[in-house]
């Protein structure tokens, strides 16, 4: 079955620690994205990558970092510089052909105390 | 700036028709998408309009007017399982999506 996996589903960390969220896809998509969703809000783009070894900042990149060493994988690191890291993090991938549907993983709910 | 406006909440009864509007103001526009998200779940794709007009997919239809920077999602024959949040999203340069804040649809029996 093709799809996107994110792990873990729930993650708890202490303030001041970096944490890396996993995102893997076997859909053979070139483009991958990381979003943050806060309660009752829309999705905000953190980083995106259109091809291996290349990525761009989204609207709220400060305090986050990513890598794209393999087509299948796009891990996100939430650093201690992120002022308010507690949120629901969603990873997505898409093709570059219409209707440009983005396929989402199940998400990781990060709580930092 | 870039902004998408959609109602925060809509309530309807089972079997009814509901329309969720979306107006947008963005730098660059390639198309308007709609996504559904059940509580705590992942968003799933519903539709995409790149050109003006109506696109129909089963009980769901989506409309776009580029000249008015406006679109809507029409849900017919509402079912309880349609209770969810619905997001409009503008497709921008580089394939990026800019999402609205979402409309929470409650379907009552």
């Amino acid at each position: 079955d093709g799809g996107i996996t994110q792990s873990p589903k729930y993650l708890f960390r202490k303030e001041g620690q970096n944490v890396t969220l996993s995102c893997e896809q076997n859909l053979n998509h070139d483009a991958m994205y990381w979003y943050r969703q806060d309660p009752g809000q829309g999705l905000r783009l953190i980083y995106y990558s259109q091809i291996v070894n290349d990525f761009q900042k989204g609207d709220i990149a400060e305090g986050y970092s990513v890598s794209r060493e393999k087509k299948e994988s796009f891990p996100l690191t939430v650093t201690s510089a992120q002022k308010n890291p507690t949120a629901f993090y969603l990873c997505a991938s898409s093709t570059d052909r219409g209707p440009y549907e983005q396929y989402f993983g199940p998400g990781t709910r990060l709580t930092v105390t | 700036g870039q902004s998408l406006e959609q109602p925060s909440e809509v309530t309807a009864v089972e079997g009814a028709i509901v329309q969720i509007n979306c107006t947008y103001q963005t730098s660059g526009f390639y198309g308007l998408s709609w996504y559904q998200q059940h509580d705590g779940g992942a968003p799933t794709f519903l539709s995409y309009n790149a050109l003006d007009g109506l696109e129909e997919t089963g009980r769901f239809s989506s409309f776009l007017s580029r000249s008015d920077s406006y679109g809507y999602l029409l849900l017919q024959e509402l079912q309880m399982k349609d209770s969810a949040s619905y997001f409009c999203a503008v497709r921008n340069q580089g394939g990026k999506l800019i999402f609205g804040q979402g409309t929470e649809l409650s379907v009552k029996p």
Side-chain angles (χ1 to χ4, degrees), chain B residues 30-92:
Chain B
Y30 289 82
L32 186 70
S33 298
W34 288 91
Y35 285 79
Q36 178 192 61
Q37 185 181 31
H38 284 98
D39 204 25
T44 56
F45 173 82
L46 293 176
S47 68
Y48 176 72
N49 295 66
L51 303 175
D52 287 359
L54 191 68
E55 295 277 346
E56 296 180 71
T57 309
R59 294 188 296 115
F60 294 1
S61 303
S62 58
F63 172 82
L64 175 65
S65 168
R66 294 176 68 134
S67 60
D68 294 323
S69 298
Y70 164 76
Y72 66 72
L73 179 69
L74 191 73
L75 297 84
Q76 302 181 75
E77 299 172 18
L78 280 174
Q79 302 175 8
M80 297 296 288
K81 68 178 182 180
D82 297 329
S83 292
S85 292
Y86 292 84
F87 296 89
C88 59
V90 165
R91 181 172 168 265
N92 216 334

Side-chain angles (χ1 to χ4, degrees), chain A residues 33-37 41-45 59 90 92 100-104, chain B residues 2-6 22-24 26 32-37 42-45 85-92 95-102:
Chain A
Y33 310 83
W34 272 105
Y35 295 92
R36 169 186 173 132
Q37 187 175 33
Q41 301 295 311
L43 283 69
R44 291 185 289 167
L45 183 65
D59 300 318
L90 288 156
Y100 307 100
E101 175 180 351
Q102 289 197 6
Y103 294 79
F104 285 83
Chain B
Q2 308 196 88
S3 67
L4 287 85
E5 297 283 337
Q6 51 180 128
C22 175
T23 57
Y24 59 87
T26 58
L32 186 70
S33 298
W34 288 91
Y35 285 79
Q36 178 192 61
Q37 185 181 31
T44 56
F45 173 82
S85 292
Y86 292 84
F87 296 89
C88 59
V90 165
R91 181 172 168 265
N92 216 334
K96 296 190 302 180
L97 288 180
I98 303 167
F99 282 83
Q101 299 278 67

